[in-house]
Amino acid sequence: MGNPKLKWTAEEEEALLSGIARHGAGKWKNILTDPEFAPVFSKRTNIDLKDKWRNLTVSSTGHHGMKDKTRIPKLKSLMASTSSNAQRNESLAVVPHETPLDVVMEDAPNGTHEPKNAPKYNDMIFEAISAAKDAKGLDINAIITFIEKKQEVPPNFRRLLSSKLRRLVTQGKLDKVQNCYIIKKDMLPLSLPESKTSLAPAQKETRLQHPRTNGHAMVDTAMEEASISAAYKIADAENKSFLASEAVKESERVMKMCEDTECLLQIAKEIHERCSQGKIVLLA
DNA sequence: GTAGGGTTAAAA
DNA sequence: TTTTAACCCTAC
């Protein structure tokens, strides 16, 4: 891989969405060879288009539950940067139908999915494997199923998990026997101290505080709950504020497009009039 | 030609 | 250190 990674530009992304709107997702070659988009994609292959679309949609690859929440904001922000409203609507139409559009912007910081609070993959993996208590270990599907039962997973979770498992194997924390993963014996005490892995960070924190707080434990807990609740509300308010400002920007952009269109229309009218006059003169 | 899994550089 | 995203490989 001698070449540095070629980051996708906004123009390319826009062209991709427009191309998908026109030809449909999966028709990468058609999009690539479309005269309108070909110049934009001069450095891209159909594979690149496919990969980019996959990154944008991040469809889940082995399981059906599209509990997707990560990809929507990306698409949404992408749409917001798209210059054509018509194209945008079309683009939205080609988003895989199972895409839960109603969860757009559901990544608001109100706790729907917060990477910081999500258990680390390592913990989840170790927990899944040890919960199985199977000497042969667990394969990736079983691990995914286990984790899905406990919490929502991102749509590209299988992919992430696959990378993670490989890394753990190379780090010597897991053994891979055929397609099953086993926790190395020397990892067991570290990976599963009591129920550490099943506790969310906030829970762990709360739990750690209790022994020393004694009589104040109830007060502390109430205060903590109140602070968490306040934090959520603040985050929610911030999110709404952000959405509002984005909406204002969007409306301004549309207004500008209208003005531009009017200018173009005016120019076209003038050209048309002059051409008509020229014809009359010629005929005369 | 496309889909999907794997790899890895870059970003967070 | 973890996650993301671009690139690669391979099966169909």
Side-chain angles (χ1 to χ4, degrees), chain A residues 2 36 67 73 83 89 112-114 135 138 159 165 170 205 240 259 277 284:
Chain A
E36 188 179 332
K67 297 164 186 171
S83 65
N89 291 337
T112 49
H113 76 293
E114 290 160 318
L138 284 185
R159 206 176 160 82
L165 287 168
T170 57
E205 216 168 282
K240 282 175 180 164
E259 285 171 13
Q277 286 170 359

Side-chain angles (χ1 to χ4, degrees), chain A residues 33-67:
Chain A
T33 53
D34 188 316
E36 188 179 332
F37 310 121
V40 183
F41 295 136
S42 59
K43 295 172 188 171
R44 303 291 178 187
T45 67
N46 50 332
I47 304 289
D48 291 334
L49 302 192
K50 180 261 296 180
D51 283 339
K52 182 60 182 177
W53 178 241
R54 179 169 56 172
N55 282 340
L56 292 173
T57 56
V58 197
S59 58
S60 74
T61 56
H63 50 291
H64 306 295
M66 294 293 284
K67 297 164 186 171

Side-chain angles (χ1 to χ4, degrees), chain A residues 167-185:
Chain A
R167 184 164 297 156
L168 287 171
V169 170
T170 57
Q171 287 172 349
K173 294 176 182 175
L174 290 182
D175 271 334
K176 187 178 183 184
V177 180
Q178 292 177 336
N179 285 328
C180 294
Y181 295 89
I182 310 166
I183 299 176
K184 285 228 174 175
K185 284 204 172 93

Side-chain angles (χ1 to χ4, degrees), chain A residues 84-189:
Chain A
S84 158
N85 275 343
Q87 295 284 17
R88 173 171 16 183
N89 291 337
E90 286 173 5
S91 302
L92 275 171
V94 300
V95 169
H97 66 275
E98 67 270 37
T99 300
L101 288 173
D102 56 332
V103 298
V104 164
M105 292 309 287
E106 207 173 296
D107 65 330
N110 60 359
T112 49
H113 76 293
E114 290 160 318
K116 283 180 184 175
N117 283 351
K120 293 284 184 281
Y121 287 149
N122 290 9
D123 288 346
M124 294 192 288
I125 291 166
F126 283 126
E127 186 181 356
I129 297 173
S130 31
K133 290 173 184 167
D134 189 334
K136 289 184 290 183
L138 284 185
D139 66 8
I140 188 167
N141 290 324
I143 296 171
I144 289 171
T145 305
F146 177 89
I147 295 171
E148 272 182 335
K149 281 179 189 168
K150 304 207 86 177
Q151 65 175 81
E152 287 199 1
V153 299
N156 58 342
F157 184 66
R158 186 188 182 83
R159 206 176 160 82
L160 296 173
L161 193 68
S162 164
S163 290
K164 196 65 193 166
L165 287 168
R166 260 197 317 280
R167 184 164 297 156
L168 287 171
V169 170
T170 57
Q171 287 172 349
K173 294 176 182 175
L174 290 182
D175 271 334
K176 187 178 183 184
V177 180
Q178 292 177 336
N179 285 328
C180 294
Y181 295 89
I182 310 166
I183 299 176
K184 285 228 174 175
K185 284 204 172 93
D186 53 345
M187 289 300 302
L188 282 170

